[in-house]
Every structure is written in C-alpha cells, then in structure tokens.
Amino acid sequence: MLAMKICLLTTLLLAGVRCMKDSLFVYSQLGGDAVLPCTKLNSSHCSFVSWTFYKEGLVRYTYEVSGGRVSADSDKSNRTSIMSNCSLALSGLQVNDAGSYSCLEHKEEVTNVYLSLLTVTSPSSIMELRPGGTLVLSCLLFTYYDPGSCKPYSTSLFKLSWRSEVGAVLQGDRHQLMERSRCKVTLITTLQADDHGRRWRCQVDATNSNIAEFMDFRSTFWSEPAHRDPDLNRSEVTECSAPPPISRMVLCAALPLMVVTVGLFTWRLDRRKARAAAPAGFRLQEIS
C-alpha cells in the first residue's frame, strides 16, 4: 500500500513538472522591435523548437517557426528571425502582432509569451499646437486580447501613466487625466510657451519587471506665415517689373502704320468714285 502511494505521488510530481511552463509578458511600441524569450529548453538545438501565435480577437492560430526555421506562410516572415538561443525576434511591430506566442520543444509548450504594444494618438489639430491651445493625447495599449481591453487578472500586471520627458509623473492644475480603462489613459493639457518642442511620455510599468516601456510625443508649435508689407510689394513690382514683350512692341509700332495705310486707300477709292459720278463738261481739279 505504501509502495502504491509513493508511486502515485511520484507520478503526480512528474506530471506537475512536465506541465510547468513560464508565462512572460513583453511590452514594446508600434514600429519597434521585440525579443520573445524561449526558456526552460532541454536542448540547445533550435531544430527541435517551434513558435506558434494566437490572436484572440482574430481567432487565429499559426506557426511562426517550425523546426527552427521561420515559416514562409507567416504574414510576418520578413520581420521575424530565430536567435541562437531559440528566442523569437520581431521587428517593425504592427497592431496585429500583439497576441499570445508559445515556444514548443518537441511539440510541447515550454514558454508562453504575451506581447502587448504601446501607441500614442492625438485628435488635436496642428492649429491648436500653440500657447493657450489644448493638447489631447491618448495612450493605448494593444494587449494580447483586444486594443484597450484589460482582462480582470491582467490589470495587476502593468500600469499606464503620463510622464514628463525626464520620467516625472505629470500633475498640476493644467494637466487632466481621463482613464477609460487600465489600458487607455488620455492626457488633456493647456499648452504654455515653454512647451514648444517638449516631449510627453506615455509609460507602461510592469509589476513583475524593472524594465519600463515608453513612447514619446513631441509638441512642435505651429507658426503663422509672416505677412508682407503691401507698400513693399508695390515698390518691388515697380522696380522689378519686366519689360514689355517684343510682340507688344511690334504691335504698337505697326498699328499707326496700318491706320495711315487704310486711310490713304479709302481716300483714293472715294476720289475715283467722285470722278466717275461727275457730269459731262465738269472736271474735278486738284487744288495744289
């Protein structure tokens, strides 16, 4: 009986060890790069390693790496590479890259990696980027579920915040924070003159890591085009006016000549008509 209990306990322990796998949370930003680690490998040969990808919102399950090689059928094959330690490297991250990745050795999962991507958007127009204008910045985390969707057990894993370019938490009367969820935080601030060229930082802090991921937005003020002096414009036109074209000069010279020619032709024609109409014995004479 004791032997059976020991055997059963040993079986359960072995089963527990066999099912043990790491769950890692990786954060990056849109357009950036990310390395997804593959831990607890029994072999250093990546030919036994595969990577799968699952996106809950798209209900998609694909093989990104099979037998240590990037799958040609993957939609991110040109941005994916397998490292010497069998980790998965992604570059040029896109929205659809956020999701759940699994590293398998001999077709058994050893590591689950959950990739979330950070982005900053602003509905403010360029005309509002001036002292006294209102700047609205929304920080959104594309999680391994859906954009801006935070599952109950995931909210304790990270925290979003708006900070200055040196990492200080933004506070004060002119900074308002609107938190729709733990995955989306909006900053509303009234711009001042010294905010020109300032960087506003959205930062995600992971509770299980000392590494923080952030994304900056730079507020460059819009400036109106300088108005020119109308008097200066007139003087420039007067001094820099172009000479009349040659065609206009020829027309001005030829027009008087044409008038004289037509007048002379008309006068001669009228005189011939008058001679033909004169009565017999009467003769027109030219008065010199």
Side-chain angles (χ1 to χ4, degrees):
M1 187 67 178
L2 180 60
M4 292 180 60
K5 290 183 178 180
I6 294 176
C7 183
L8 179 60
L9 180 60
T10 303
T11 303
L12 291 175
L13 288 175
L14 289 175
V17 171
R18 193 173 185 178
C19 294
M20 284 292 292
K21 56 185 177 182
D22 283 346
S23 294
L24 305 177
F25 296 86
V26 176
Y27 302 91
S28 188
Q29 56 181 269
L30 287 180
D33 304 329
V35 175
L36 312 184
C38 186
T39 59
K40 293 187 176 179
L41 290 174
N42 295 320
S43 173
S44 59
H45 297 287
C46 297
S47 58
F48 303 119
V49 172
S50 299
W51 278 91
T52 61
F53 170 72
Y54 177 72
K55 182 73 173 180
E56 182 173 329
L58 301 177
V59 193
R60 186 176 60 182
Y61 182 88
T62 58
Y63 271 89
E64 303 300 320
V65 174
S66 182
R69 295 184 179 182
V70 177
S71 300
D73 296 337
S74 171
D75 59 353
K76 41 185 171 286
S77 59
N78 60 335
R79 300 182 291 109
T80 303
S81 60
I82 189 76
M83 304 180 67
S84 58
N85 61 355
C86 306
S87 297
L88 189 67
L90 299 173
S91 61
L93 292 171
Q94 302 175 6
V95 172
N96 289 334
D97 293 338
S100 173
Y101 295 79
S102 295
C103 179
L104 298 87
E105 185 178 24
H106 297 291
K107 298 184 179 181
E108 292 188 3
E109 290 186 354
V110 292
T111 309
N112 284 338
V113 183
Y114 302 95
L115 177 63
S116 298
L117 301 178
L118 194 65
T119 184
V120 173
T121 60
S122 175
S124 300
S125 66
I126 190 173
M127 302 287 290
E128 295 175 294
L129 297 183
R130 61 173 66 189
T134 301
L135 176 63
V136 180
L137 295 173
S138 293
C139 181
L140 177 64
L141 189 66
F142 289 86
T143 66
Y144 37 90
Y145 296 106
D146 291 312
S149 173
C150 293
K151 297 295 182 179
Y153 70 87
S154 66
T155 55
S156 60
L157 299 175
F158 59 84
K159 181 180 180 181
L160 288 180
S161 60
W162 277 103
R163 300 171 180 264
S164 67
E165 53 189 335
V166 296
V169 177
L170 294 178
Q171 53 188 351
D173 296 336
R174 74 184 184 108
H175 301 307
Q176 300 180 27
L177 294 176
M178 296 177 59
E179 186 174 345
R180 177 174 295 181
S181 70
R182 294 289 297 275
C183 295
K184 184 176 182 180
V185 180
T186 299
L187 170 68
I188 304 175
T189 186
T190 303
L191 294 172
Q192 299 177 350
D194 57 355
D195 290 331
H196 177 61
R198 186 185 299 277
R199 289 186 300 172
W200 310 86
R201 175 168 298 178
C202 175
Q203 182 168 309
V204 54
D205 294 286
T207 56
N208 57 353
S209 174
N210 294 326
I211 301 176
E213 184 66 31
F214 61 86
M215 193 169 190
D216 291 340
F217 177 90
R218 186 181 295 274
S219 56
T220 303
F221 286 176
W222 178 81
S223 57
E224 296 181 359
H227 295 285
R228 303 182 66 184
D229 188 355
D231 296 332
L232 179 61
N233 290 340
R234 284 197 296 270
S235 65
E236 288 179 352
V237 171
T238 303
E239 294 176 2
C240 303
S241 57
I246 297 178
S247 59
R248 186 179 300 176
M249 296 175 63
V250 173
L251 179 63
C252 292
L255 186 61
L257 182 60
M258 292 175 60
V259 172
V260 172
T261 302
V262 172
L264 181 60
F265 177 80
T266 304
W267 175 75
R268 287 184 177 181
L269 183 62
D270 291 342
R271 195 178 72 164
R272 290 177 182 177
K273 291 180 179 181
R275 286 179 180 178
F282 186 82
R283 189 174 181 180
L284 291 177
Q285 297 182 350
E286 294 182 3
I287 300 177
S288 57

